[in-house]
Amino acid sequence: MKSKGVLKKKKKKKKKKKMGKRCYFDISVGETPEGRVVIELFDDVAPKTAENFRALCTGEKGGIPEHEEIKMHYKGSKFHRVIPGFMCQGGDFTAGDGTGGWSVFGENFDDEEFVKTHSGPGILSMANAGPNTNSSQFFITTVDCPHLNGKHVVFGKVIKGMSTVRKMELTPTKKYDVPEKDVTITDCGTLEDGEADGVASDPSDQYEEFPQDCTPALTEEEKVKAGDAVKLLGNNHFKAKEFPQAIAKYQKANRYLSAVIPTDSNKAEIIKQQIACFSNMAQCYLKLSKWLEAKNATAGAMKLETGDTNAKVVFRHSQALFELNQLEEAKTFATKAKELSPEDSGPKDLLAKIAAKSKTLKDKRKAAVKKWLSSEE
């Protein structure tokens, strides 16, 4: 007779937490589209706040009562305040400067529970003017902000497109932390369950756009490895004459290399790779006839140790200056490039072009003065 085995109780599978509703922003800085930010709402812990944000993303509620011409919609509104190492604030679609806003529940609504915390980059939280003054303004953190806990209602987080938030964060600002170029929500809305998020990705590149967003955090050695790998991707794009894509990879590679804490053994190599990235970027910009950007790229290289003695960097700097008609400076750098690399014909040819262009401009000025004097007689 067979003995009966002990029946094992089946372990109950833990139910996977259902994802909150997803919303998205398409962001432009100035005239340049920078990408999409996808946000998951914490509608289980802050349902009213999440619903307000969701409805303002779709614009489904129409206009503000008694001011129907002002739509309750984030589309077209700006991020009016950007503080690097802190947050990006937007949502004021009435005044556009942080003094306005309106919620779908009226001008203001009360705080919900302070369940979630400002526990790192990408947290979505309500801006306010004190307790129970929520409207439409919000902010996205770029670092851990524990001092805001218990004061602002956290109701979502960025789940895709943190690199776009980083680009917003790095936008130069003027007085009162206002971006010099408009940081605009060009489109926004919601995503249905299972719907593709629309965030562009590069399957050949395994690294986050910004090193601080890598999880787990990279070691110093891994940052160097990442910088080298991304630089090679830039080289591939350059060889294929995909210059904008190459520039993006060289910029990314430099972000990783700049994040490395160098040692005596690797410092020189890291600087060498950074200079190469700047120099390659400059060459891409020259190919695209973007002279000022080329000048800025080579200037970045020359700020680094040994960068101002790199013949390619100095020559490309002189090329950009020539195209910008800054001929005296172009002559200075072309002469230096010739001294650094006497066998290279590029600097010698450029010096001849500078002399010819200088003479042409001088002759034009003389002719203009002569014409003016003759008209006065």
Side-chain angles (χ1 to χ4, degrees):
M1 186 176 175
K2 292 182 180 179
S3 60
K4 292 181 179 179
V6 179
L7 292 174
K8 290 183 179 179
K9 289 184 179 179
K10 288 184 178 179
K11 288 184 180 179
K12 288 184 178 179
K13 288 184 179 179
K14 287 185 179 179
K15 285 186 177 180
K16 191 177 179 181
K17 184 181 176 293
K18 187 181 178 183
M19 177 178 273
K21 292 183 180 70
R22 294 180 300 158
C23 298
Y24 70 88
F25 289 153
D26 289 335
I27 301 292
S28 285
V29 176
E31 300 298 318
T32 306
E34 292 294 358
R36 173 169 287 193
V37 179
V38 179
I39 294 161
E40 178 189 357
L41 299 178
F42 299 149
D43 41 21
D44 55 339
V45 296
K48 190 170 185 178
T49 311
E51 173 56 20
N52 177 63
F53 185 85
R54 186 203 66 76
L56 293 174
C57 282
T58 65
E60 65 194 51
K61 300 295 184 180
I64 292 173
E66 298 181 15
H67 294 281
E68 288 293 326
E69 72 280 4
I70 301 175
K71 301 301 179 186
M72 291 187 284
H73 200 184
Y74 287 138
K75 184 175 180 178
S77 67
K78 313 283 192 296
F79 278 82
H80 61 272
R81 190 176 178 221
V82 172
I83 304 177
F86 182 23
M87 60 88 201
C88 303
Q89 184 174 338
D92 181 1
F93 51 77
T94 61
D97 59 5
T99 62
W102 199 274
S103 84
V104 298
F105 307 114
E107 187 172 5
N108 300 118
F109 65 97
D110 289 350
D111 295 326
E112 292 186 275
E113 294 295 320
F114 299 107
V115 177
K116 299 282 189 176
T117 59
H118 301 80
S119 55
I123 294 296
L124 179 68
S125 185
M126 290 301 290
N128 60 43
N132 303 317
T133 57
N134 301 293
S135 60
S136 57
Q137 289 192 49
F138 61 87
F139 59 90
I140 300 172
T141 63
T142 58
V143 292
D144 189 16
C145 300
H147 61 288
L148 301 179
N149 295 340
K151 299 175 183 176
H152 298 265
V153 176
V154 171
F155 65 99
K157 67 177 180 181
V158 174
I159 56 173
K160 282 283 191 74
M162 190 62 202
S163 61
T164 301
V165 177
R166 294 291 180 199
K167 291 171 187 174
M168 292 160 55
E169 180 189 21
L170 294 175
T171 303
T173 56
K174 48 192 176 183
K175 195 175 181 182
Y176 304 121
D177 307 309
V178 177
E180 289 181 1
K181 294 181 179 180
D182 286 343
V183 179
T184 308
I185 300 172
T186 55
D187 199 8
C188 53
T190 58
L191 297 167
E192 298 298 323
D193 291 345
E195 183 179 353
D197 54 41
V199 176
S201 62
D202 180 357
S204 67
D205 188 348
Q206 63 176 304
Y207 298 102
E208 294 286 346
E209 282 297 313
F210 289 78
Q212 60 266 49
D213 295 324
C214 290
T215 305
L218 300 183
T219 64
E220 302 306 305
E221 187 179 343
E222 287 170 336
K223 290 174 192 173
V224 174
K225 183 182 176 182
D228 290 344
V230 176
K231 177 176 172 284
L232 286 175
L233 293 175
N235 291 347
N236 292 338
H237 283 300
F238 183 86
K239 289 172 187 175
K241 298 185 178 181
E242 297 166 348
F243 301 121
Q245 295 91 327
I247 290 166
K249 294 301 181 186
Y250 292 135
Q251 289 173 332
K252 179 176 176 178
N254 256 349
R255 287 197 288 270
Y256 277 84
L257 294 169
S258 299
V260 177
I261 299 172
T263 62
D264 291 340
S265 62
N266 68 10
K267 182 180 178 182
E269 182 59 27
I270 290 170
I271 291 173
K272 179 182 174 183
Q273 293 301 325
Q274 287 179 288
I275 290 170
C277 286
F278 276 121
S279 182
N280 292 351
M281 266 191 274
Q283 184 67 349
C284 290
Y285 283 128
L286 290 170
K287 295 285 187 183
L288 295 168
S289 301
K290 293 189 173 183
W291 317 125
L292 181 59
E293 289 85 350
K295 176 187 171 183
N296 291 339
T298 48
M302 289 190 290
K303 287 177 183 176
L304 296 168
E305 191 178 321
T306 73
D308 60 351
T309 57
N310 184 292
K312 280 186 179 179
V313 168
V314 175
F315 177 55
R316 287 168 184 173
H317 192 67
S318 65
Q319 286 180 294
L321 291 167
F322 172 76
E323 297 295 349
L324 290 166
N325 286 326
Q326 297 173 14
L327 300 182
E328 286 302 315
E329 282 186 86
K331 183 179 178 181
T332 299
F333 282 96
T335 302
K336 185 175 180 179
K338 183 183 175 184
E339 292 168 356
L340 289 168
S341 184
E343 71 286 354
D344 189 354
S345 62
K348 183 180 176 181
D349 292 343
L350 182 60
L351 284 167
K353 287 182 181 179
I354 292 169
K357 195 172 189 180
S358 297
K359 185 179 183 304
T360 299
L361 291 174
K362 189 177 180 181
D363 290 345
K364 281 183 177 179
R365 282 194 292 269
K366 278 185 178 179
V369 170
K370 187 177 180 181
K371 185 178 180 181
W372 178 76
L373 289 173
S374 62
S375 67
E376 290 290 303
E377 294 175 358

